[in-house]
Amino acid sequence: FVCLMQVSTRHRDFLVDTLVLREELQRCNEWTTDPKIVKVLHGADRDVLWLQSNFGIYIVNMFDTGIAAKQLSFPSKGLAQ
């Protein structure tokens, strides 16, 4: 079960306590399903499934940096160098 969720914009970072805000999290669909907003995640295959099954949050227009690193044959697929 997902307990914490990190959300960042270009200007701010947020750490969301999903246990406290569980009943409110579907409101995130206002921006997570907006195709005009690119959502950038890393290694998001499981994250997307967890967000859908645990909270009913769906992601539209997502870029996965982990998949990009793999496709570009980077030596490291993680965020750290």
Side-chain angles (χ1 to χ4, degrees), residues 3-60:
C3 297
L4 293 174
M5 180 172 63
Q6 178 185 337
V7 178
S8 297
T9 69
R10 291 178 191 252
H11 307 287
R12 296 190 64 189
D13 299 308
F14 303 90
L15 189 59
V16 180
D17 184 336
T18 62
L19 298 177
V20 172
L21 298 173
R22 184 174 178 80
E23 301 303 319
E24 302 294 327
L25 290 176
Q26 283 190 342
R27 293 173 56 192
C28 291
N29 281 314
E30 293 174 22
W31 55 270
T32 61
T33 59
D34 185 341
K36 293 179 278 183
I37 301 172
V38 177
K39 279 61 77 179
V40 180
L41 291 91
H42 182 82
D45 52 341
R46 290 188 185 101
D47 295 340
V48 169
L49 293 175
W50 292 331
L51 289 170
Q52 289 176 1
S53 64
N54 290 336
F55 310 116
I57 296 175
Y58 296 87
I59 308 290
V60 173

